[in-house]
């Protein structure tokens, strides 16, 4: 039984069946990639996992608990963090403050009326945030306005913010979309390092096959809202059905 | 000291200095001189400076930090005033319980209004708060002002809860069960702090200058300093940081496991309580509460104050409140006769022309001046007066730096 179990999930938008009957099991401490052509329902599936959308049918359980019907912040507090396609950070805040917020969220939960004590006196949170920034090579940029960082640094910061919450499942939505090759390779290295150093499960949605085949232990191919095949990267590479769905190539 | 960083402590001390020395600072011109009408150092106006300062400081906690633009904060001002008045009528003239009730009642109102309004954001939030404030105004103006009294028309509720158009006033028949119902001379007692009357004042004559020290002003001033200190602590706290995060990116906040709703509601309630405190102080300085205090123009005024001074900055709202109240009270007092005496040295035709050109911007036309200044600030100084003073400060610093290094370095052309 995997850390994340998706059973019979379906989602309809008007006349469009975005997700048919999705069954998916993500094993603990694995890196599971979900690939598929445009419009296959990858993003819809991801949004169903984090509470942004509620599926019409089926169930989603994380560590044995259902995530359906919970609001996004509750699902996050259960241990699922999400990295967005375009980096979502607090652009108006400093890099250090960006890092402090998830550290507070981890320590204090979803709401804490801590209106009198100064941020700088919260030594445990400060130390943790600084430690995370050092880990990510962002420590010397801590006083910088987050909005003025490069795209690659923003991505690093967003991943660091997700990790600061010590999630058990990290969801990545096309983390290298729109990146230059060098930045893409840096991100791959970073994710590999995270995978090795931490007890963390990674689920990744990606277009870029280079990224998928360098990271994933298992791959699910989604086409027209239903999983086509699920297998190891080596098997997927040569699978005739995948080639057909993905590349539009006939299998003869 | 006080758990503040050096920079914030300096700011607090600066504001404290201004507040304590205001009777001197705002009276720079000798009595009877031509410039004396620009003096703002009389108790009535100084009280308004600090009271609206409190109102704007509180508004800034909501608008400056979370970016939620409430257009109905005057409702809490009114609730605070009415609550304080009822405390005076029922229990006695001490201002402390009156302010306590004002804060508590406006806090309760803010929980209800905030809970409903914060279901939406952006323009819809603003419209909802505006609707609530105008409903409160209608309640105070007519609904709650109907006769709820017996046939003898002599009791407490002869003009309803709010007194309607004429407002809620003290009368000799008020019970005031914990204080004196009337003074020894048979008059209505005045608000006081443990015996010190709010309207009492001492005058200091120094040559041609007259400085007035009013108990009411200093009481309000101390309360404003406390309110300002509290707002610094909120700005520097984890709570304040979360509020700025709400403004910056609510989506990321949600996916960081934080629920933005209680944060924004708490900010709304805190700023509503600030407004209630300001309203209570108004009633304490001048025991009268009318529905016009809740009208939408009053809500708009605090928005102007905050933006003019610099939304999201600590001292901005205080500066904005001071600037607007100064213009309202000083510019509006200048009339065409005064203008003619100023420009009497010019030839007649020119004098009339210049007076004619300035006249629309003074007296009742002071709103025109305010509008122009507001537009200039929003266009050229989006950070408000605070940004203006920062730019001036930087200009001086650069000049000094230039003087220190007179040798011109060759810079690459850009």
């Amino acid at each position: 039984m995997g850390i994340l179990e998706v059973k019979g999930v379906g989602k309809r938008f008007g006349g469009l069946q975005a997700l048919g009957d999705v069954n998916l099991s993500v094993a603990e401490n694995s890196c599971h990639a979900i690939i598929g052509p445009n419009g296959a329902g990858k993003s819809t599936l991801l949004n169903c996992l984090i509470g942004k959308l509620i599926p019409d049918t089926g169930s989603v359980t994380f560590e044995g608990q259902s995530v359906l019907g919970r609001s996004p912040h509750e699902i996050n507090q259960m241990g699922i963090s999400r990295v967005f396609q375009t980096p979502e950070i607090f652009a108006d805040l400093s890099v250090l403050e960006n890092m402090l917020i998830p550290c507070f969220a981890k320590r204090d939960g979803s709401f804490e009326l801590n209106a009198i004590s100064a941020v700088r006196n919260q030594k445990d949170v400060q130390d943790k945030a600084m430690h995370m920034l050092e880990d990510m090579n962002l420590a010397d940029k801590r006083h910088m306005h987050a909005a003025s960082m490069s795209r690659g640094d923003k991505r690093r910061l967003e991943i660091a913010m997700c990790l600061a919450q010590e999630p058990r499942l990290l969801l990545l939505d096309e983390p290298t979309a729109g990146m230059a090759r060098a930045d893409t390779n840096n991100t791959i290295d970073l994710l590999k390092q995270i995978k090795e150093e931490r007890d963390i499960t990674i689920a990744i949605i990606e277009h870029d096959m280079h990224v998928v085949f360098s990271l994933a232990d298992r791959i699910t191919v989604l086409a027209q809202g239903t999983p086509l095949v699920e297998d190891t990267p080596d098997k997927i590479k040569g699978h005739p059905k995948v080639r057909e769905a993905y590349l539009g190539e006939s299998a003869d | 000291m006080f758990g503040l960083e050096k920079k914030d402590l300096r700011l607090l001390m600066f504001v404290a200095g201004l507040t304590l020395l205001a009777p001197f600072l705002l009276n720079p011109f000798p009595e009877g001189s031509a410039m004396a009408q620009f003096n703002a150092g009389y108790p009535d106006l100084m009280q308004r400076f600090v009271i609206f300062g409190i109102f704007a400081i509180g508004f800034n906690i909501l608008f400056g930090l979370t970016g939620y633009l409430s257009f109905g904060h005057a409702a809490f001002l009114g609730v605070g005033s009415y609550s304080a008045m009822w405390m005076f009528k029922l229990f006695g003239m001490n201002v402390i319980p009156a302010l306590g009730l004002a804060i508590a009642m406006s806090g309760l109102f803010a929980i209800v209004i905030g809970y409903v309004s914060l279901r939406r954001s952006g323009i819809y939030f603003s419209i909802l708060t505006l609707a609530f404030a105008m409903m409160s105004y209608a309640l105070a103006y007519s609904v709650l002002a109907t006769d709820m009294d017996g046939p003898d028309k002599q009791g407490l509720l002869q003009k309803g809860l709010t007194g309607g158009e004429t407002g809620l006033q003290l009368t000799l028949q008020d019970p005031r069960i914990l204080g004196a119902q009337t003074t020894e001379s048979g008059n209505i007692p005045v608000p006081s702090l443990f015996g010190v009357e709010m309207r009492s004042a001492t005058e200091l004559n120094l040559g041609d200058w007259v400085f007035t020290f009013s108990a009411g002003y200093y009481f309000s001033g101390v309360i404003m300093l406390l309110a300002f200190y509290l707002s610094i602590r909120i700005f520097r706290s984890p709570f304040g940081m979360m509020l700025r995060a709400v403004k910056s990116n609510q989506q990321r906040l949600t996916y960081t496991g934080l629920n933005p709703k209680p944060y924004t509601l708490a900010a709304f309630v805190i700023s509503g309580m600030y407004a209630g405190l300001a309203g209570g102080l108004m009633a304490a300085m001048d025991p009268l509460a009318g529905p016009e205090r809740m009208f939408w123009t009053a809500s708009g005024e605090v928005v102007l104050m905050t933006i003019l001074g610099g939304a999201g900055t600590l001292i901005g709202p205080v500066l904005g409140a001071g600037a607007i109240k100064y213009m309202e009270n000083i510019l509006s007092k200048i009339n065409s006769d005064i203008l003619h005496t100023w420009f009497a040295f010019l030839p007649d035709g020119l004098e009339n022309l210049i007076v004619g050109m300035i006249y629309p911007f003074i007296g009742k036309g002071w709103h025109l001046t305010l509008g122009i200044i507001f537009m200039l600030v929003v266009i050229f100084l989006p950070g408000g007066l605070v940004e203006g003073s920062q730019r001036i400060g930087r200009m001086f610093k650069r000049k000094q730096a230039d003087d220190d290094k007179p040798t011109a370095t060759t810079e690459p052309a850009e």
Side-chain angles (χ1 to χ4, degrees):
Chain A
M1 172 127 167
I3 190 168
L4 182 76
E5 293 282 339
V6 178
K7 285 200 183 114
V9 164
K11 178 79 192 171
R12 237 190 142 77
F13 297 111
L16 176 77
Q17 186 79 39
L19 291 178
D21 176 32
V22 179
N23 290 295
L24 187 71
S25 174
V26 177
E28 199 162 355
N29 292 341
S30 70
C31 179
H32 198 124
I34 299 162
I35 61 172
N38 278 330
K42 302 184 300 287
S43 297
T44 309
L45 177 62
L46 192 62
N47 285 334
C48 287
L49 304 184
I50 55 161
K52 204 171 181 178
L53 288 176
I54 298 169
D56 304 328
T57 56
S59 70
V60 180
T61 51
F62 175 69
E63 295 184 328
Q65 282 182 302
S66 174
V67 304
L68 298 184
R70 293 181 200 250
S71 51
H73 72 266
E74 287 169 331
I75 294 174
N76 182 284
Q77 289 279 353
M78 287 168 76
I80 304 180
S81 274
R82 176 180 177 177
V83 174
F84 287 80
Q85 202 167 343
T86 42
E88 292 278 352
I89 52 173
F90 302 110
D92 304 324
L93 272 57
S94 76
V95 172
L96 178 61
E97 283 173 326
N98 266 276
M99 210 57 234
L100 286 168
I101 286 170
C103 295
F104 275 115
K106 177 71 188 165
R107 194 190 72 178
D108 298 337
S110 68
F111 174 69
E112 172 79 38
L113 188 61
N114 200 349
I116 296 301
S117 63
V119 173
R120 74 195 146 82
N121 291 340
Q122 316 281 314
K123 284 280 175 277
D124 54 333
V125 172
Q126 290 275 357
D127 289 348
K128 186 176 166 191
M130 272 315 290
H131 187 74
M132 287 298 300
L133 286 176
E134 277 159 16
D135 264 11
M136 291 282 167
N137 291 328
L138 290 167
D140 49 336
K141 294 184 174 130
R142 64 184 181 276
H143 294 306
M144 226 168 133
H145 211 203
S148 56
M149 288 200 302
S150 72
R151 175 81 183 248
D153 278 346
K154 281 181 186 164
R155 174 62 77 213
R156 274 183 110 69
L157 177 63
E158 191 188 20
I159 292 174
M161 286 164 72
C162 287
L163 292 179
Q165 293 181 275
E166 297 157 33
R168 266 132 19 243
L169 175 62
L170 184 64
L171 299 174
L172 297 129
D173 185 4
E174 302 197 24
T176 62
M179 269 190 191
R181 185 82 332 201
D183 276 341
T184 302
N185 287 335
N186 283 339
T187 309
I188 293 174
D189 291 344
L190 177 65
L191 290 172
K192 271 187 181 162
Q193 188 193 340
I194 291 167
K195 214 174 106 182
E196 276 161 27
E197 287 175 3
R198 291 166 192 270
D199 284 340
I200 195 168
T201 313
I202 298 177
I204 182 168
I205 284 180
E206 187 52 81
H207 254 357
D208 189 333
M209 288 303 127
H210 172 58
V211 178
V212 172
F213 288 117
S214 3
L215 284 171
D217 307 321
R218 264 192 110 65
I219 296 176
T220 299
V221 184
L222 213 60
Q224 289 164 348
T226 39
L228 210 57
V229 232
E230 190 195 314
D231 220 322
T232 56
D234 291 340
K235 297 258 176 66
I236 292 284
K237 261 183 202 168
H239 204 289
K241 257 179 155 182
V242 177
R243 295 177 79 95
E244 191 182 3
Y246 216 81
L247 303 167
E249 218 174 85
S250 72
D252 59 337
Chain B
M1 206 163 63
F2 302 133
L4 296 182
E5 267 177 272
K6 233 183 213 153
K7 195 180 62 170
D8 297 332
L9 188 66
R10 262 207 307 268
L11 194 64
L12 180 67
M13 288 300 150
F14 174 67
V15 175
L18 283 186
T19 312
L20 294 179
L21 298 176
F24 296 105
L25 296 173
L26 293 173
N27 253 5
F29 307 111
E31 204 69 9
S33 72
M35 300 297 279
Q37 60 205 323
F38 288 107
N39 280 343
Y42 53 96
D44 203 33
L45 182 53
M46 290 194 298
Q47 282 162 13
R48 240 169 282 162
F49 284 158
V50 292
I51 290 172
F52 278 92
I54 295 172
F55 190 18
I57 290 170
F59 185 76
N60 190 39
I61 290 174
L62 179 71
F63 176 56
L65 289 179
T66 70
Y68 277 81
L69 175 59
S70 161
F71 226 85
H73 252 51
F76 308 122
L77 197 73
V79 168
S81 285
Y82 284 121
S83 310
M85 285 302 293
W86 275 107
M87 210 65 182
F88 290 144
K89 282 167 95 70
L90 295 175
F91 294 104
M93 299 307 288
N94 194 334
V95 291
I96 298 289
L99 292 182
L101 186 71
I103 295 173
M105 286 302 291
S106 53
L108 283 177
F109 265 72
I111 290 173
V112 176
I113 295 180
Y115 185 81
V116 179
S117 305
L118 285 166
R119 301 175 74 87
R120 290 284 170 270
S121 61
I123 187 80
Y124 302 102
F125 168 79
S126 304
I127 298 291
L128 280 171
T129 50
L130 176 62
F132 270 112
M134 288 313 283
M135 274 154 62
S136 312
Y137 170 77
L139 278 179
Y141 193 85
S142 51
V143 181
L144 293 178
T146 48
D147 185 2
M148 301 179 198
D149 220 24
D152 59 341
K153 310 272 180 214
Q154 286 298 313
L156 265 175
L157 291 172
Q158 56 176 327
K159 279 180 146 188
L161 266 174
T162 59
E165 194 181 349
T166 49
L168 193 61
Q169 293 165 6
L170 299 176
T171 64
L172 282 169
Q173 284 81 41
D174 295 335
R176 274 186 277 283
I177 49 177
L178 295 178
Q181 203 175 7
T182 56
T183 58
E184 281 167 18
S185 48
N187 293 323
I188 299 172
V190 295
S192 62
L193 176 70
F194 303 113
V196 182
E197 289 184 4
M198 284 294 123
R199 64 174 186 199
S200 66
T202 45
E203 286 192 349
L204 173 69
N205 288 293
L206 284 177
D208 287 337
W209 281 268
V210 181
F211 302 110
T212 318
F213 305 97
S214 134
Y217 166 70
Y218 276 106
F219 177 68
S220 313
V222 167
I223 295 209
M224 190 206 64
L225 287 177
L226 288 175
F228 185 60
Y229 171 66
L230 185 65
S231 100
I232 299 180
R233 294 295 293 254
I234 291 175
F235 266 64
R236 300 289 178 242
S237 70
F239 175 69
M241 191 171 72
M242 296 306 174
L243 295 183
R244 281 187 296 135
V246 168
K247 185 180 184 179
S248 183
N249 191 341
Q250 272 207 42
Q251 166 140 291
R252 178 34 87 198
L253 197 71
T254 313
Y255 292 110
T256 307
L258 292 159
N259 189 358
K261 281 222 175 91
Y263 281 105
T264 44
L265 183 61
F268 192 86
V269 172
I270 290 172
S271 83
M273 286 160 88
Y274 266 81
L277 172 65
L281 269 176
M282 278 180 180
M285 295 304 119
D286 179 14
L288 175 80
E292 76 287 345
R293 223 160 260 183
M294 295 176 150
F295 203 60
W296 68 269
T297 48
S299 299
E301 199 177 40
V302 75
V303 180
L304 291 191
M305 286 171 181
T306 310
I307 295 177
L308 186 68
T313 61
L314 282 167
I315 200 178
V318 184
L319 294 180
I324 287 185
K325 284 292 148 190
Y326 184 84
M327 279 192 278
E328 177 186 321
N329 287 279
I330 303 298
L331 280 183
S332 62
K333 269 195 307 193
I334 303 172
N335 55 32
S336 64
D337 292 344
I338 296 174
L339 282 184
H340 276 292
T341 53
W342 285 354
F343 296 106
F345 63 92
L346 293 170
D348 263 359
L350 199 58
E351 180 190 328
N352 285 338
L353 181 72
I354 288 189
V355 170
M357 275 164 60
I358 299 178
Y359 186 68
F361 297 96
I362 53 154
K364 280 183 180 160
W366 78 273
H367 279 113
L368 214 53
T369 317
L370 175 64
I372 290 172
I373 293 177
F374 187 71
M375 282 196 299
L376 291 176
V377 165
V378 169
I379 294 169
F380 295 107
L381 293 173
L385 297 176
V386 169
E387 189 185 331
S389 56
Q390 279 169 348
R391 280 198 198 172
I392 292 170
R394 242 176 289 153
M395 229 153 66
F396 275 107
K397 255 186 209 153
R398 207 175 307 149
K399 228 178 210 170
Q400 267 180 354
D402 287 350
D403 291 345
D404 293 345
K405 288 183 282 177
T407 46
T409 48
T410 48
E411 280 174 40
E414 282 182 64

